[in-house]
Structures are given as structure tokens and as C-alpha cells.
Amino acid sequence: MEVKKVLTSEQKEFKKLLLKLPKTEIHLHLEGLASVETIWTLMKKNNLQYKNINSKSDLKKKFEITSLEDFLDLFINIIQNSFINENDIEYLIDDAKNYFLENNIIYSELFFAPSKFIQSGLDFKKIVNILTQGAERIKKDHNIDIKFLIDVSRSFGIENAMKNLDLVLANPSKAIIGIGLGGSEKGGPAKEFAKVFEKAVSKGLHVVAHAGEDVGPQSIWDSINYLKAERIGHGISAIQDEKLMTYLAEKQIPIEICPTSNLFTRKYAKTLKEHPVKVFFTRNMDVTINTDDPTVFSVNLVEEYMNLLTENIFTKKEILLIIKNGVFATFLPVARKKEIWKMILAEIPR
Ligand code: HPA
Ligand code: ZN
């Protein structure tokens, strides 16, 4: 949700520059890119009925959530539940393509959580083919690179998470580079998934985890110690733990901050001004900015950066440094990171 403000001419100029800069985004869920149009189309096509949703505007209203648990109910039981055929996922690929073009995102690491899709009877191998071919098409048509992180999910138990990992390993794809741990942080402590993550690391996959979004700092420590998470999704409860903030800064473990998402789920910040992102940045933590679920939260990446500027959280210079962090926190080879940063620098007037 963009904070509605009349922009000064200087801010307007900066927004133009932001649009022009090639960007990366590393905490973004494919299903969270589903447009209202897509879900409405699938509801009709697949003959689905949901309580109190009789129009597109009812559906849009349903997106107004105020807690992580409410959000997950919408995410799993309406958005993910609307896909009953593997080909339905093509709609998501199209929504993703439009989002990347709109924001000039040239590289993204995208979460996809298969658990609900598999429960609905979709075949993982076919899903992988659609994701892989979708990524190839977007690369060929628009020169945008997409890699997927499969969210093994903490919402459906350890066995399910291990089953998801085994499916990833049995269906290798150049487009899939690792796993993540999303879903109910309260219901699925990181520690319990140690074996799944240990196996993933041993097979050469990257590992990341949502942590400190809905639960205190211990959840972040556990993701580092038990899961060996290379990046932390959200991580905002680190604000309660001096040692943890120092550790994250020293080790330069990137944190994927999703400001608007956090204001919707309302756990550790209700306004941008009270969001810990500035403290993290000031303490030299490796801060990146992301949207999490753009359609649900009605926000895009350019708006996230603009909100931080217009609310006086960050200066223009600081925002450019955060964009740089977003490049170097990716799992791309170092040479490619440098190349992208060079492309960005070339667009910045000096
Ligand atoms: N947290 C947990 N699970 C999720 C999220 C999130 O922010 N977004 C999509 N699935
Ligand atoms: Zn997320």
C-alpha cells in the first residue's frame, strides 16, 4: 500500500530514477503475486465458492488482513486453493512477468510453496516443468532472470516438509536453487525442521528461512543455528536482542525486510516510523527491501522504496545503498552481482 502523499518535485524525480534502475527482489512469493483478476478467473473456471465472496470487490476486500494467521488463511485457503490444475499456474507466471516489468526487476528469487497444490492433487513434476519453462520464457522474451526457492512450509509438519524437499531433489531444475521455510512461525518452530535443512545443504541447495516475523528473537537464532539459514526473511524481532543484531551485522547475514507486509500483520510495527528497519541499517546490518506478497498488500517494490523516502526513514543515498544490498544478497555468482551493480551505477546521475 503506497502511503498516499503529494510528492515534491525532487521526490518525483527520484521515483523516476527508481523506475529506471534495474533492480533485484529476493523475498517475494509467486502466489502472493496472483492478481485479483487471476483468482477471480480461477474461481469461475474451477467452479469454486468461498464464503462471503460474490464479486471481485468482495475478493479484494478479503485481502485486508491484520495478522499473520489471517494472512495465511487467505494465502492457503483462497489463493492457493484456487489452483486445481497444473496449467492454472501459468496465470501466476504471467502475473509475475507483469510485476517484474512494471518495477524493472531484472533478477528475482521467488518463493513457491507446493504443499497446498499437492494436497489439491497437482503433480510436482508438472509444476516444476511449468515453473522452469515459465522462467525460460520470461528470460527469452524480457531478459529477466527468475530462480525459485521452494518453501517446504512449517504449517503442515516435518514429514510434509521432508516430502517437499525429496520432491525437489527428485525433480532437479536449473530454475530451483534452494528451499525456504514459510507458513505459521508460531505453529512450526525452526528447530523442528533441522533435519530437512541439513539434508538440503548436503545436497547443495541454498537455504533461507522466515524468522522473527511473528515470534521473538529465539526464532532467528534457531534459524541460524539449526537451519544454517543464509538469509533471514523479515527478522524484525531482532530489535529485541542486542546480541543478535550485533551477530547479524558481524556475519553480514542479509535480512529481507518487507515493510508493508509487516504493517499488515501488525506484530512488531504498526507504522513505518516504528518499524526497526532504520535501527538495523544504522547498526550496519545487511538490510534489503522487499514486498513479500504484492497483490495481497497492494504494494510494489518501487512504492516500498518511495514510502521509506517520503516517511523520512531513509535518504535517497541510503535507498541506493539498500538497492545495492539487494543485489549482493542474491545467490548469484559474484561476477554477475558486480555486473548488475555496474548497470545500476550507470543509470545514477552524478
Ligand atoms: N510469512 C509466512 N508465510 C508466508 C509469508 C510470510 O510473510 N508470505 C507468504 N507465505
Ligand atoms: Zn514471505
Side-chain angles (χ1 to χ4, degrees):
M1 161 193 33
E2 188 172 14
V3 178
K4 287 288 167 218
K5 271 200 165 168
V6 180
L7 300 182
T8 64
S9 57
E10 201 186 325
Q11 289 167 344
K12 274 189 203 151
E13 274 310 299
F14 190 65
K15 188 169 182 178
K16 266 196 222 154
L17 175 65
L18 278 179
L19 275 164
K20 210 162 98 188
L21 297 182
K23 287 170 293 299
T24 63
E25 186 164 4
I26 56 175
H27 190 121
L28 182 60
H29 298 259
L30 181 63
E31 307 93 298
L33 278 162
S35 61
V36 174
E37 192 62 43
T38 287
I39 301 302
W40 184 246
T41 304
L42 291 177
M43 277 176 66
K44 285 194 290 185
K45 180 171 107 47
N46 294 335
N47 261 321
L48 299 165
Q49 252 135 40
Y50 300 120
K51 209 170 145 208
N52 298 332
I53 301 182
N54 301 309
S55 67
K56 243 194 267 185
S57 70
D58 288 346
L59 179 61
K60 181 94 187 94
K61 263 206 211 103
K62 184 77 189 160
F63 285 19
E64 290 164 13
I65 54 94
T66 52
S67 72
L68 182 63
E69 294 305 320
D70 272 5
F71 163 76
L72 290 170
D73 178 45
L74 163 74
F75 195 76
I76 297 170
N77 297 320
I78 294 187
I79 299 180
Q80 292 182 331
N81 191 62
S82 298
F83 295 78
I84 64 157
N85 177 296
E86 294 84 4
N87 289 329
D88 290 345
I89 296 172
E90 295 286 359
Y91 287 93
L92 288 180
I93 303 283
D94 213 45
D95 287 334
K97 176 200 73 184
N98 292 335
Y99 173 79
F100 294 137
L101 287 173
E102 212 178 280
N103 288 274
N104 197 13
I105 291 165
I106 61 160
Y107 176 74
S108 183
E109 286 162 11
L110 255 177
F111 291 113
F112 176 79
S115 301
K116 179 73 184 175
F117 295 81
I118 292 169
Q119 276 176 19
S120 304
L122 278 71
D123 176 66
F124 189 76
K125 193 180 188 63
K126 288 186 186 158
I127 295 177
V128 169
N129 282 340
I130 288 174
L131 297 180
T132 307
Q133 285 163 15
E136 281 168 2
R137 206 165 53 241
I138 294 178
K139 171 70 179 169
K140 182 166 156 278
D141 294 345
H142 304 284
N143 203 23
I144 295 168
D145 284 298
I146 299 173
K147 297 291 179 194
F148 290 98
L149 298 166
I150 299 299
D151 175 358
V152 296
S153 186
R154 65 207 324 159
S155 290
F156 302 97
I158 299 116
E159 271 172 36
N160 174 75
M162 189 61 96
K163 202 181 85 196
N164 284 335
L165 170 63
D166 288 338
L167 284 169
V168 170
L169 296 172
N171 295 279
S173 157
K174 268 196 297 209
I176 298 175
I177 58 166
I179 62 166
L181 191 64
S184 175
E185 195 179 354
K186 278 189 190 131
K191 233 183 190 171
E192 295 181 359
F193 297 87
K195 279 212 170 76
V196 180
F197 277 63
E198 194 185 325
K199 184 168 177 182
V201 173
S202 78
K203 300 290 182 185
L205 291 171
H206 285 292
V207 292
V208 298
H210 286 62
E213 177 188 22
D214 206 32
V215 173
Q218 192 58 44
S219 174
I220 304 173
W221 282 118
D222 287 353
S223 299
I224 296 167
N225 292 328
Y226 292 101
L227 307 183
K228 312 289 178 221
E230 294 170 79
R231 296 194 305 242
I232 298 295
H234 297 284
I236 52 175
S237 70
I239 192 72
Q240 299 173 344
D241 186 334
E242 289 285 331
K243 268 200 192 133
L244 177 56
M245 287 191 282
T246 304
Y247 184 88
L248 289 165
E250 271 175 17
K251 300 282 177 195
Q252 285 292 286
I253 298 173
I255 41 172
E256 305 150 2
I257 299 287
C258 308
T260 302
S261 168
N262 298 151
L263 302 188
F264 266 88
T265 52
R266 303 175 71 78
K267 181 73 189 216
Y268 294 103
K270 294 184 179 61
T271 64
L272 215 42
K273 289 243 189 292
E274 67 185 44
H275 194 288
V277 63
K278 182 64 185 241
V279 176
F280 291 168
F281 183 83
T282 310
R283 295 185 65 121
N284 199 30
M285 287 162 65
D286 193 355
V287 169
T288 67
I289 295 293
N290 307 272
T291 56
D292 209 6
D293 301 283
T295 333
V296 183
F297 304 131
S298 303
V299 72
N300 67 35
L301 188 61
V302 170
E303 288 165 356
E304 291 282 9
Y305 286 123
M306 282 308 292
N307 289 340
L308 293 165
L309 180 78
T310 58
E311 291 289 291
N312 297 315
I313 314 288
F314 289 117
T315 64
K316 293 188 281 187
K317 209 167 156 196
E318 288 168 336
I319 288 174
L320 296 174
L321 284 174
I322 293 173
I323 289 176
K324 182 181 184 185
N325 289 346
V327 174
F328 284 88
T330 64
F331 293 128
L332 284 167
V334 178
R336 180 64 184 147
K337 294 180 190 183
K338 287 183 179 166
E339 223 170 68
I340 295 178
W341 179 235
K342 236 178 165 177
M343 282 163 62
I344 297 174
L345 277 179
E347 298 289 345
I348 302 174
R350 50 188 76 223

